[in-house]
Each structure stands twice: as structure tokens, then as C-alpha cells.
Amino acid sequence: MPYQKIIVLLHRNQDFSAMATFELRLSSKAQPGTGRSEVLIRLRHGNLDLYGKSGCYVSPDNFHYYINTRKCERKGIRVPSQLQRLNRRDAERRGLYILEKGEIVVRGAYGGEDWQHDKETKEEVEKIVHGLAEAFEGEYYKSILNSEWMAQHIDRIRFPEKYVAAATPQVSIYEHAARFLTVREIEPSTFRGYCVTFRTMYRFEKFCRATDTPNFDWLGEDINKDVMEDFKDYLRRESDIAEEYPTLYKGIVTSMHDELPETLCMSRRADKISNKGDNTVKKTLRSICTFFGWCREEGVMSTQPFDGVVIGETKYGTPFYLSIEERNQVAEFDLSDRPQLAVQRDIFVFQCMIGARVGDLLRLTPANIHESVLEYVPIKTRNQREQVEPRVPLNQQAMAIVERYAEATRDGRLLPFISEQKYNDAIKEILRVVGITRQVPIRDSHSGETVMRPIWQVASSHMARRTFVGAAYTKVKDPNLIGKMSGHKEGSKAFNRYRDIADNDLREVTNAIE
């Protein structure tokens, strides 16, 4: 079959034509000593036009060019109907115009050295073309392939032994990531955050491989500061990049579910892609830094990609939370017409009175309460040298909630907790129904500017923790005392923001008595 007729039929729905064409050309340079010239391969597909060197050489007499019949006819030159191709020398001798493309036609003395060499060259070139066709079919987003991609695949086809080690099944970094999450005891929200990070790393890897770095590998020796800086920029612009390459990202998301361990894709929002704000970028980089440190401890990774990378401190706005009066308003509001919402309201009020993180709240059982004192070890600090074990005396209202649901849970938990996302949704609805809609300042994660939002729209389970700390801080200005109940470490920076609020309250008082 003529090489220019070798067609790749693509089985996926592409934005381009459904075929790719391969053509053979002959280099004008002759090989010293043999007089042979290298066979060049041209790949055409839509607007894509790539050239690659085959590394195979053939005698110019055995490379036959296709006759440019139309040009010959325009020049008044008659071309015999059975004549389709000739080598360059014979075409020039007969005064025929030829195209630059052609194919290898082995002539000469049967069994001779040149005949045998060019026969093997013809077979080798045919193998390369068919291998490129298969590789091309397997690439999802074809318009961004380049000559480097073509050269790499030609080398793989010709010298497969060089890639045997690379082709040997190895444990991917994402399998290590799944094991990392298994062996480290972390709270659910942190677990989900790591999963988001690992999925983003996967999309970045696939994007790099499809664009300018075909051999990108997070476990490779060339992962360094420059790569991490590129990844930092990618985090800020991923949604924009996905819009620019919609077909590529459609394929990436599909392959993500097929290739990643199931643990990393369990979230119902696993396919969500967004531009990350400054704080999220810093948190993501810290998560990866922690994971890479674990990889080095396990002998999985030898490089230190974060050498020289400046992550920076996260910046937060003024913490917003419910006042004691607002908390009581929520607790006393009549929700008898919405009994399921009333249950989540009680859990929220209880959380406001103990200050536990939602992951710890989910794990509490009646065994955590001794003589009306709640004791537990926070997941966040469980594996640290200096564990913080909160002890929170429960007031009458908190104990009443515990007793109310003593028989309501079947799984041994303290309260009938639902999923964290539904719990967060319920908190927003509770505040809206109760009528707590005051505006609070929120730091925009992308612009860094402070904007005002109704508190019910931005409320979540973590606001219950802030409500506990904020309420306690208005009564007792000792962060270490409050930390014994909330689980904050001594000297925690988190309390500085509450101190700023307290100073503002005092300033308002002094201003009022001028």
C-alpha cells in the first residue's frame, strides 16, 4: 500500500478531520561512503504538519517519487497512464515533473548487498509508520503534538529495548498517595483536601505531557524548583487553561477516573476544576511538601523539589462568628415544622458549645464524656509529639442535647450526624430561617480584597468552632486556658485574630466615653 495512503482512523470524537496522512520524503543529503539518503516522514492531520527523521537510509535509485501529473499536463508533457512513480534521476532524464513525496521501491540485483539493505529499510520504515499511526491514535488532544513527540516515538519504535525499564510496571506516585492517606491518621476534611491536591497534580502531569514535556513524571529526577513554580502558576489558572483546551481536559478527566486509585476520586465533586486563590495555593504546596517528605522517608523519591521554593504565610481576614445572643437565638428557634433541620440545629449548637472540629465531632461517642466533661484527642494533633487533649466541661444546655439523642444513634456516635457537606448546607439554611443575616467581612481568596457577605451564606461547621473560641475570648482573655478546651496549641497564632477583635471592642468603649 502506498505510504501516503496509510490512514489512521480515530475512534474518538475530535474537533478535526477523522484521518491522519503519512508521507515519505527523501533527504537531499547523501550519507558519506554509501551515497544513501535518509528517509523523512511527514505527518499531516488538519492544521498539524510534522516532520520526523526515520534514521533509515536508502539508495536514491530505490526511492521513487510520485509523478506530478497535473503539472506535466499543463506543460504539455504526456505521461503514460501506467506510470505513477520514478526515481529522481529517471524522472529528470524523461523530463517529467515529480512531487516531493514517494515510497521505497526495491530494485537491483536480487539478493545483492544494496537490494538486501533497502529491503530491510523498507520494512523498518513501514514498521515506523504503522507505530506512529498507533501512537497518534492513542493521543487524545492531537493539535498540540510537536516534532519532539514524533522523534520520541520513532526512537521508541526503532529501539524498544531502550525503553524496557521505563515500560516495566511501576508503582505510580498516585498509588503512593493512596497509601500515604491510609497510613496517616488525618481528619476527613484534610483527607479530602489531599485528594483534591493529588487530582490536581494528575491533571498538571497530563497537561505537561500533552503540551511541552512528554516525559513529565512527578517521581522524575528533573522535578525541581522551576517545576514547582510552574505548578504554582497552574494552580492559579487551571480553570482558564481548561477552557482554553476543552477537548484535552475532557480526556484528562475521563482518564483520571480510570487511572487514579478509587480512593482519590470518591468525592462527588472530583471533576471540579477551579482557579485557586492565594491561600489555597499555599495550602496545596504545603500538602505536597509534606507528601514529598513522606515519599523520601519511604525511599520513593530522592529529589527535593521544594529547595528554594518560597511558599509564604497564609493570610486570613477577621474571623466571623455568632455572638452568644445569636447562638441562643438559633438554639431557641422553633423548628418543629422542620424536624430534620431541628436535629442538625441541635448538633450545630452543641458544636458551638464545645469548639471541636467537625472531624472530631463526627467521631465522638458517649465514652468521651466523663462526669459531664468531654475529653478527646483531636485527629489533627494525634500523631504529633505534643498532643493536645481538650477537656470541655459541658453546661446544662449541651448535656440536654446529648441526653435528647442518647437513643437516636445506631452506630455508637454521640449525635445523629449526617454527611459533612449536608451538615454545612443545613447550617446555612438554619441561619437563613432564623433570620441571622448580618453582613460580615470576607477576604476574597483571589483578589485579597475584603468584601461583605451575609453571614448565613458563608457559614459552615468551622464557624461553630470560631463561635466557641470567640465567645470564650470575650469572657476570658487567656488563650492558653481556652486552648485547653478548643485543642489549640499554646501560643497559637489563631488567637491573635480574636485579640484584635477584643481590642476593637475596647476601643469602641473608650471612644464612647470621650
Side-chain angles (χ1 to χ4, degrees):
M1 181 185 296
Y3 286 101
Q4 88 280 11
K5 296 295 185 182
I6 293 178
I7 299 299
V8 183
L9 296 178
L10 305 179
H11 302 292
R12 296 189 177 104
N13 183 21
Q14 298 290 327
D15 297 332
F16 323 107
S17 65
M19 296 182 295
T21 305
F22 291 86
E23 300 173 356
L24 298 187
R25 301 194 173 206
L26 197 64
S27 171
S28 59
K29 297 180 180 179
Q31 192 179 40
T34 67
R36 299 181 184 120
S37 296
E38 186 174 14
V39 179
L40 308 178
I41 301 174
R42 184 185 188 186
L43 185 161
R44 301 177 65 187
H45 179 260
N47 294 326
L48 192 66
D49 193 353
L50 303 179
Y51 284 88
K53 296 180 178 181
S54 70
C56 302
Y57 292 79
V58 68
S59 169
D61 288 343
N62 284 341
F63 190 88
H64 286 209
Y65 296 86
Y66 297 106
I67 296 173
N68 192 337
T69 306
R70 292 184 180 179
K71 188 171 182 178
C72 288
E73 291 175 349
R74 288 199 305 269
K75 298 293 185 177
I77 302 173
R78 180 180 174 276
V79 181
S81 59
Q82 74 279 9
L83 189 61
Q84 297 181 349
R85 55 189 178 267
L86 284 172
N87 62 42
R88 186 179 293 276
R89 183 177 60 181
D90 288 345
E92 291 175 351
R93 181 174 57 81
R94 301 178 63 165
L96 298 177
Y97 292 96
I98 56 176
L99 301 172
E100 289 303 313
K101 58 188 178 182
E103 61 180 284
I104 301 172
V105 179
V106 181
R107 300 284 172 85
Y110 179 82
E113 182 180 349
D114 287 342
W115 183 92
Q116 186 64 33
H117 177 276
D118 289 354
K119 177 178 179 294
E120 292 174 358
T121 296
K122 179 181 174 69
E123 294 172 351
E124 182 72 6
V125 170
E126 184 175 7
K127 182 178 75 171
I128 292 172
V129 171
H130 282 285
L132 284 174
E134 291 180 358
F136 183 81
E137 181 182 2
E139 296 290 346
Y140 194 92
Y141 200 72
K142 298 174 171 54
S143 71
I144 55 178
L145 299 184
N146 53 28
S147 297
E148 184 180 352
W149 172 91
M150 197 165 179
Q152 180 195 37
H153 281 283
I154 290 175
D155 194 61
R156 282 179 175 272
I157 296 164
R158 293 196 65 209
F159 308 107
E161 66 279 0
K162 290 168 54 177
Y163 299 88
V164 170
T168 302
Q170 297 179 349
V171 178
S172 74
I173 193 169
Y174 308 105
E175 292 173 292
H176 288 301
R179 185 165 65 92
F180 167 79
L181 294 177
T182 301
V183 300
R184 293 177 70 93
E185 202 169 356
I186 54 179
E187 60 181 352
S189 60
T190 305
F191 183 97
R192 289 193 299 274
Y194 269 112
C195 289
V196 172
T197 295
F198 294 137
R199 292 195 296 268
T200 307
M201 289 173 64
Y202 174 87
R203 293 193 296 267
F204 178 73
E205 176 185 317
K206 289 295 184 181
F207 176 74
C208 288
R209 289 187 177 186
T211 51
D212 59 357
T213 316
N215 296 321
F216 185 94
D217 184 353
W218 281 110
L219 294 177
E221 294 294 326
D222 54 352
I223 303 300
N224 54 26
K225 174 186 175 182
D226 292 338
V227 174
M228 299 314 302
E229 292 294 344
D230 288 343
F231 181 65
K232 187 189 299 186
D233 182 63
Y234 176 86
L235 289 170
R236 294 190 173 99
R237 302 191 305 112
E238 186 181 23
S239 180
D240 298 336
I241 295 172
E243 289 182 6
E244 186 176 352
Y245 300 101
T247 309
L248 171 60
Y249 273 81
K250 181 180 178 181
I252 288 176
V253 170
T254 299
S255 64
M256 182 176 73
H257 288 278
D258 294 335
E259 296 180 4
L260 288 187
E262 185 178 356
T263 306
L264 305 184
C265 292
M266 292 177 63
S267 170
R268 61 186 178 90
R269 304 174 71 187
D271 297 347
K272 183 180 179 182
I273 296 175
S274 62
N275 294 335
K276 307 298 189 295
D278 189 56
N279 281 350
T280 304
V281 170
K282 292 172 181 176
K283 288 180 180 178
T284 300
L285 293 177
R286 287 199 189 95
S287 296
I288 297 175
C289 190
T290 300
F291 171 59
F292 282 176
W294 177 84
C295 286
R296 286 192 296 274
E297 291 175 1
E298 294 290 307
V300 172
M301 173 183 284
S302 59
T303 58
Q304 299 199 31
F306 278 90
D307 278 357
V309 176
V310 178
I311 297 178
E313 294 292 330
T314 50
K315 298 178 181 179
Y316 295 97
T318 303
F320 60 88
Y321 50 87
L322 299 182
S323 66
I324 296 175
E325 292 75 20
E326 288 172 327
R327 183 202 65 190
N328 292 339
Q329 183 182 348
V330 169
E332 296 166 4
F333 194 85
D334 183 8
L335 288 173
S336 57
D337 58 334
R338 302 185 66 175
Q340 292 182 337
L341 196 63
V343 173
Q344 300 310 309
R345 182 268 310 278
D346 290 344
I347 296 175
F348 175 67
V349 171
F350 182 79
Q351 188 182 3
C352 288
M353 292 180 173
I354 66 171
R357 298 178 181 88
V358 68
D360 296 320
L361 178 68
L362 177 63
R363 292 169 175 259
L364 295 179
T365 70
N368 290 109
I369 299 177
H370 305 277
E371 298 181 355
S372 299
V373 176
L374 177 70
E375 297 177 293
Y376 64 96
V377 178
I379 301 173
K380 189 172 183 178
T381 60
R382 182 168 297 181
N383 295 320
Q384 297 179 3
R385 290 182 179 179
E386 297 180 5
Q387 291 185 355
V388 179
E389 298 184 15
R391 298 185 75 255
V392 188
L394 302 180
N395 59 26
Q396 291 183 356
Q397 192 173 9
M399 283 303 302
I401 293 174
V402 171
E403 293 168 0
R404 186 178 306 154
Y405 296 100
E407 304 297 328
T409 59
R410 299 178 180 177
D411 53 6
R413 288 187 290 182
L414 187 64
L415 299 172
F417 196 80
I418 56 178
S419 72
E420 186 175 339
Q421 183 57 52
K422 290 182 179 179
Y423 179 47
N424 284 329
D425 293 340
I427 291 170
K428 291 179 174 62
E429 178 64 7
I430 290 165
L431 296 188
R432 188 191 69 81
V433 171
V434 173
I436 299 178
T437 59
R438 61 183 169 87
Q439 299 280 317
V440 293
I442 302 296
R443 185 178 184 274
D444 186 276
S445 60
H446 295 284
S447 67
E449 299 293 327
T450 298
V451 295
M452 302 300 290
R453 294 283 187 273
I455 191 171
W456 70 270
Q457 289 184 1
V458 292
S460 67
S461 60
H462 202 69
M463 190 179 72
R465 179 169 169 79
R466 293 197 301 269
T467 296
F468 172 81
V469 175
Y473 205 84
T474 60
K475 302 298 183 182
V476 180
K477 299 299 190 294
D478 184 350
N480 294 329
L481 180 61
I482 299 172
K484 291 184 182 297
M485 294 186 289
S486 64
H488 284 97
K489 284 186 176 181
E490 185 173 348
S492 171
K493 294 180 180 179
F495 284 100
N496 291 335
R497 298 192 292 154
Y498 295 93
R499 184 183 63 195
D500 292 341
I501 294 175
D503 289 346
N504 288 336
D505 292 340
L506 293 174
R507 191 171 291 107
E508 289 180 6
V509 173
T510 57
N511 289 339
I513 61 176
E514 281 184 344

